[in-house]
Amino acid sequence: MDFGSADSWGAAIYFWIIPIVLGDAIFPPVPSEMVVITGGALSADGRANVFLVTALSALASWIGDMLVFQLFRRRLSHFLDRWRYGRRVHQGIHDALAKLGRSSTYGGIIGLRFIPGGRLATSAAAGIANVSVRGFSLCAGLGAVLWACWLVGLGYVTGSATKLPFWASSLIGVALGLVVGAVVGIIVTRRRGNRSPVEEPGPLG
C-alpha cells in the first residue's frame, strides 16, 4: 500500500475503520479519530463514499461501546488484572472516571465521547452503575452517529475548503478536533471535579 496515494487509501479506508474504531473503545490511544477524519477528507476528494464511511464509523463505535458496557456491567473487568497491559487499561479507566465524574446519565453517554478518554469512561461507568441495556444502547447509538457525523464532516469540510492533499486535510482536521475536544474536556472536568464516583470491589492488582 502506498501511504501517500489517495487511491490506495480510498480502497483501504473501509477496512481500517471498523478494527481501529473498535480498538479505540478499549484503548483510547488508538487513532480512531484520525482514521475517520481521513475518511471524510478522502470523501471530499472523491476517493471514498461519505455515507458509507459515516455508517461504518458509527456502527463500529456503537459495537465497541456495547462491548465495554457489557464487560463492566457483568463485572468481568477484573479479568483485565491478570495481565500487566490489562491492569494499565483498568487503571486508565479509573483515572478517566476520576476526571470526568459519574457519566452514567444519558446526556453523558451521548456527549462525553467527544473528549479524549470520554468514550471509554462513560461506557465503563454506565456498566458499573447498571444503566439499563436498552437505554445505554439507544444513547450509545445516537452518540455514535453524532460522533461519526462530526468527524467525517470535519474531514470533509477541511478537505473541501483547503483543496490540499488528503493527508494534509486530515492533519488539519485532527488538529481542529483536538482543540475542540480539549476545550470541552476542560469545561467538563472543571464542572465535575476530580473524585472518582465509582468504586469496584477489590484492588486493581
Side-chain angles (χ1 to χ4, degrees):
M1 177 179 176
D2 182 358
F3 288 97
S5 170
D7 289 328
S8 296
W9 273 98
I13 192 67
Y14 305 119
F15 300 98
W16 282 101
I17 288 174
I18 290 181
I20 290 181
V21 174
L22 276 173
D24 178 47
I26 299 175
F27 190 58
V30 173
S32 64
E33 289 85 358
M34 177 172 286
V35 171
V36 177
I37 290 172
T38 297
L42 288 168
S43 299
D45 199 34
R47 309 290 180 173
N49 184 297
V50 66
F51 298 106
L52 184 54
V53 169
T54 303
L56 289 175
S57 301
L59 177 62
S61 177
W62 179 78
I63 292 174
D65 292 348
M66 292 301 299
L67 288 174
V68 173
F69 171 72
Q70 290 291 354
L71 178 70
F72 281 84
R73 189 170 188 270
R74 298 176 184 278
R75 302 298 189 266
L76 299 177
S77 57
H78 292 295
F79 283 110
L80 294 171
D81 299 335
R82 295 184 178 183
W83 302 277
R84 178 179 298 178
Y85 165 77
R87 289 192 294 272
R88 290 178 61 187
V89 172
H90 201 172
Q91 185 60 54
I93 290 169
H94 280 270
D95 291 343
L97 288 171
K99 292 179 181 179
L100 297 175
R102 182 175 292 279
S103 303
S104 59
T105 62
Y106 294 136
I109 293 169
I110 295 171
L112 291 179
R113 69 185 57 244
F114 292 92
I115 67 177
R119 182 180 166 207
L120 172 60
T122 51
S123 298
I128 294 169
N130 288 317
V131 172
S132 72
V133 176
R134 181 182 180 185
F136 179 83
S137 178
L138 290 174
C139 290
L142 176 58
V145 171
L146 294 174
W147 178 82
C149 288
W150 157 247
L151 292 179
V152 174
L154 192 59
Y156 190 93
V157 170
T158 303
S160 299
T162 63
K163 302 298 182 181
L164 293 171
F166 80 96
W167 56 267
S169 299
S170 299
L171 291 176
I172 294 172
V174 169
L176 290 173
L178 288 174
V179 170
V180 172
V183 171
V184 174
I186 291 172
I187 294 172
V188 171
T189 301
R190 285 182 176 177
R191 290 181 61 185
R192 290 177 176 267
N194 60 7
R195 181 178 179 273
S196 178
V198 176
E199 296 294 337
E200 288 186 272
L204 293 181

